[in-house]
Amino acid sequence: MAVHILLVSVMKVYGEDPEWWMLTEPARIPCPGGDVIVPAGYITDYASRPKFVPDWLIPKSGLSAMPSAAHDYLCETGVVSRREADLTFNRLLLEAGVPRWQRLLMYYYVRLLGWARYKKQPEQTLPQ
């Protein structure tokens, strides 16, 4: 059974990048169109942001960590529209207790620059 994304456990991934974390169990992302399940073993770096942006402005971890992981998964897989991924991200930030000013900053940041990570789900190919 999948655990809500805000409550899922993670494990540090050692090796190539010191900021990677792996979900140790399946996670459920509640989306307007229905729940999306993130498989155990999914690896995230939490919030993706330019290095020059200070951590206090857009934190890579803390309260925003799991909403960021959910947004990464939704955008990388394209299982929902980009707008739905961004709205879900905003709602999860709110549920996680991220301060309003920071939540709005992070939401508008992904609305403005999220296209770079969003991948549409591959189209079904029909047999010839």
Side-chain angles (χ1 to χ4, degrees), residues 4-25:
H4 191 285
I5 190 71
L6 296 181
L7 303 174
V8 72
S9 60
V10 295
M11 178 175 73
K12 182 80 174 124
V13 175
Y14 295 96
E16 299 171 27
D17 189 316
E19 298 183 1
W20 287 354
W21 295 85
M22 180 176 65
L23 275 62
T24 60
E25 57 192 329

Side-chain angles (χ1 to χ4, degrees), residues 83-104:
R83 178 162 172 71
E84 188 172 342
D86 293 351
L87 289 172
T88 299
F89 176 58
N90 187 46
R91 186 178 39 74
L92 289 171
L93 288 170
L94 177 65
E95 289 176 23
V98 173
R100 185 174 191 274
W101 69 267
Q102 203 167 43
R103 178 176 52 85
L104 293 175

